[in-house]
Amino acid sequence: MTHRPENRVFGKRAQPHILILASGDNVRHMTVRPWMAALGVCVAGAVTIGYLLATSYLVLRDDLIGATMARQARMQHEYEDRIAALRAQVDRVTSRQLLDQQVVEEKVEQLMEQQLALTSRHGKLGSLLDRAENSGVPTGDIPIPAFNPDRRADASGGIQAIESLMAGSPQSDAETATSELAYAPASETAAEKADRVFSRVTRSLKAIERDQLTQIRTLTVGAEETAGAIENILARNGIDVASSERTENDAVGGPFVEPQSIDPFEDSMDDLDAALNRLDTARDTAKRLPFANPAPGKDITSRFGNRSDPFLGRLAMHAGIDFRFGAGEDIHCTGAGVVTAAAAAGGYGNMVEIDHGNGLTTRYGHMSRILVSVGDKVKAGDVVGLAGSTGRSTGTHLHYEVRRNGQAVDPMSYLNAGRKLLAYLD
């Protein structure tokens, strides 16, 4: 059996390292393993690194501490600058909110002043409207914001809206503050909202005032036209209302003073008041005068003027109008006045005479019974007596006369004028 030759290079076994320690007679040895060598190297390296680090720390400690303190100081300054900037922004936001609140309060005050100005006109305007209605002038629909439910919401609702903007809700304030601190611009400030609402409400109030002025001017024109129509009817019957009114107001005077600036609304109110005064004067004058019919629905048996006398058969002047009546029927006066005669008066028989002022009197003759006395105040439509045939009469009827300054005039002109005045007096 052949033997393989032994490989002296690769087959040689490495000899372990032995560490011999001798102390006197004592000799010790220790085999050094590879892992023990590696461990020793590692320990030595770690000790070396630790020594180097400790040495570096001792050498660079002051620089590291200084750098750390400087960095902390920088960070502190940055935080302080940031806090100062935030405080400045908070101050700006607070200042703007206070300014907005002040602006809103001023707007609300202006709205309240306008509202109160319109409201203060209600008393006089309401009385003028009542007078216009009583005078027969159609008033229509005049807006009164303070007392008209339809208009009240325009003013008071706008004020409440602005006041709600002033108060604000906590959520909206927080959102606004957050947006300001975050450098996000607000979409619309409270002042801008207040301006928008204020403009809308102001336009509404101005529109109401324009409507009022228009309606008041319309009422003034209507009152002037009605007064003019009544005065024309009275003038055709010899009654000059304007002349008598001027005569009563002639006693005036005083030092001259420059006129004050007058508000257009107050000026229009004064014009309407003057027109209604003129209309009231004309209406009162017309109501006092004998324009009513003493015998509505009755037939006229004899008119005013020359006629054949029923007793003598020759031409004679008939100073009034005869109305056919049944015995005992009521006889009504034709206008307001004072009874100046209530007794038998020759050919008139039982007669009542009434003074209506302005030089006008009326007479009612041939009555079977007189129901008023001298000095009594009567108004149009009051019963003054009962129909009969007393005095110079051929049958039961009413002899009715109208006299101006003692002279007999045709009563038909007053009856015709009365029919025309019905449209203005009722």
Side-chain angles (χ1 to χ4, degrees), residues 152-189:
R152 186 185 305 164
D154 293 342
S156 62
I159 294 174
Q160 291 176 359
I162 293 181
E163 289 178 344
S164 66
L165 289 176
M166 288 177 53
S169 61
Q171 181 178 3
S172 62
D173 292 343
E175 291 175 355
T176 303
T178 303
S179 62
E180 294 293 341
L181 295 177
Y183 299 98
S187 59
E188 187 177 21
T189 64

Side-chain angles (χ1 to χ4, degrees), residues 230-244 285 289-291 357-360 402-405 409-410 413-414 417:
I230 295 175
E231 290 173 354
N232 290 336
I233 295 173
L234 296 178
R236 287 195 292 267
N237 290 274
I239 308 298
D240 188 358
V241 178
S243 177
S244 61
T285 302
L289 300 182
F291 289 108
N358 296 93
L360 291 176
V402 177
R403 290 181 174 267
R404 181 191 303 152
N405 299 323
V409 295
D410 189 0
S413 62
Y414 289 86

Side-chain angles (χ1 to χ4, degrees), residues 87-128:
R87 287 178 178 175
Q89 289 181 355
V90 170
D91 292 338
R92 286 196 297 270
V93 172
T94 304
S95 300
R96 189 172 67 178
Q97 288 178 349
L98 292 176
L99 181 61
D100 291 344
Q101 182 176 358
Q102 183 179 2
V103 172
V104 171
E105 289 176 352
E106 292 176 355
K107 297 298 185 182
V108 171
E109 185 177 357
Q110 293 178 12
L111 279 181
M112 292 301 297
E113 290 177 356
Q114 294 181 8
Q115 181 78 357
L116 291 176
L118 291 178
T119 302
S120 63
R121 300 170 179 171
H122 174 261
K124 187 175 181 180
L125 181 57
S127 62
L128 290 179

Side-chain angles (χ1 to χ4, degrees), residues 135-156:
S135 300
V137 180
T139 58
D141 183 15
I142 295 183
I144 304 175
F147 293 89
N148 189 326
D150 294 335
R151 295 290 187 179
R152 186 185 305 164
D154 293 342
S156 62

Side-chain angles (χ1 to χ4, degrees), residues 114 118 201-212:
Q114 294 181 8
L118 291 178
V201 178
T202 301
R203 288 195 298 270
S204 177
L205 293 178
K206 290 296 183 182
I208 294 173
E209 185 175 2
R210 286 195 300 270
D211 293 342
Q212 287 180 338

Side-chain angles (χ1 to χ4, degrees), residues 53-349:
L53 290 176
T55 303
S56 300
Y57 171 74
L58 293 175
V59 174
L60 303 176
R61 179 181 62 181
D62 294 337
D63 294 338
L64 293 176
I65 293 175
T68 302
M69 294 179 63
R71 184 171 65 254
Q72 291 179 350
R74 286 195 302 272
M75 293 176 61
Q76 182 177 357
H77 288 309
E78 291 177 356
Y79 283 128
E80 290 177 354
D81 293 340
R82 179 61 175 170
I83 291 174
L86 291 176
R87 287 178 178 175
Q89 289 181 355
V90 170
D91 292 338
R92 286 196 297 270
V93 172
T94 304
S95 300
R96 189 172 67 178
Q97 288 178 349
L98 292 176
L99 181 61
D100 291 344
Q101 182 176 358
Q102 183 179 2
V103 172
V104 171
E105 289 176 352
E106 292 176 355
K107 297 298 185 182
V108 171
E109 185 177 357
Q110 293 178 12
L111 279 181
M112 292 301 297
E113 290 177 356
Q114 294 181 8
Q115 181 78 357
L116 291 176
L118 291 178
T119 302
S120 63
R121 300 170 179 171
H122 174 261
K124 187 175 181 180
L125 181 57
S127 62
L128 290 179
L129 293 180
D130 293 339
R131 287 180 56 192
E133 290 180 355
N134 295 333
S135 300
V137 180
T139 58
D141 183 15
I142 295 183
I144 304 175
F147 293 89
N148 189 326
D150 294 335
R151 295 290 187 179
R152 186 185 305 164
D154 293 342
S156 62
I159 294 174
Q160 291 176 359
I162 293 181
E163 289 178 344
S164 66
L165 289 176
M166 288 177 53
S169 61
Q171 181 178 3
S172 62
D173 292 343
E175 291 175 355
T176 303
T178 303
S179 62
E180 294 293 341
L181 295 177
Y183 299 98
S187 59
E188 187 177 21
T189 64
E192 293 173 347
K193 294 179 181 179
D195 288 337
R196 178 162 49 82
V197 177
F198 175 79
S199 300
R200 184 170 65 251
V201 178
T202 301
R203 288 195 298 270
S204 177
L205 293 178
K206 290 296 183 182
I208 294 173
E209 185 175 2
R210 286 195 300 270
D211 293 342
Q212 287 180 338
L213 288 174
T214 302
Q215 293 294 337
I216 289 173
R217 293 191 182 101
T218 302
L219 288 179
T220 303
V221 173
E224 291 284 355
E225 292 178 351
T226 303
I230 295 175
E231 290 173 354
N232 290 336
I233 295 173
L234 296 178
R236 287 195 292 267
N237 290 274
I239 308 298
D240 188 358
V241 178
S243 177
S244 61
E245 186 178 0
R246 286 194 299 271
T247 302
E248 295 176 358
N249 297 331
D250 281 345
V252 294
F256 175 78
V257 180
E258 291 292 338
Q260 297 179 350
S261 58
I262 301 178
D263 181 71
F265 188 89
E266 294 295 332
D267 194 14
S268 63
M269 294 273 285
D270 293 338
D271 292 341
L272 178 58
D273 184 57
L276 291 177
N277 288 335
R278 177 186 173 191
L279 178 58
D280 290 341
T281 301
R283 286 171 58 88
D284 292 341
T285 302
K287 288 180 179 179
R288 288 197 310 269
L289 300 182
F291 289 108
N293 192 335
K298 301 295 184 180
D299 295 333
I300 296 176
T301 57
S302 181
R303 295 182 178 273
F304 176 86
N306 293 328
R307 68 172 184 178
S308 176
D309 185 80
F311 292 96
L312 301 178
R314 62 185 181 86
L315 191 65
M317 175 62 185
H318 186 228
I321 296 177
D322 292 339
F323 293 93
R324 180 179 288 111
F325 266 84
E329 291 184 332
D330 294 337
I331 295 175
H332 303 272
C333 66
T334 57
V338 179
V339 177
T340 57
Y348 287 101

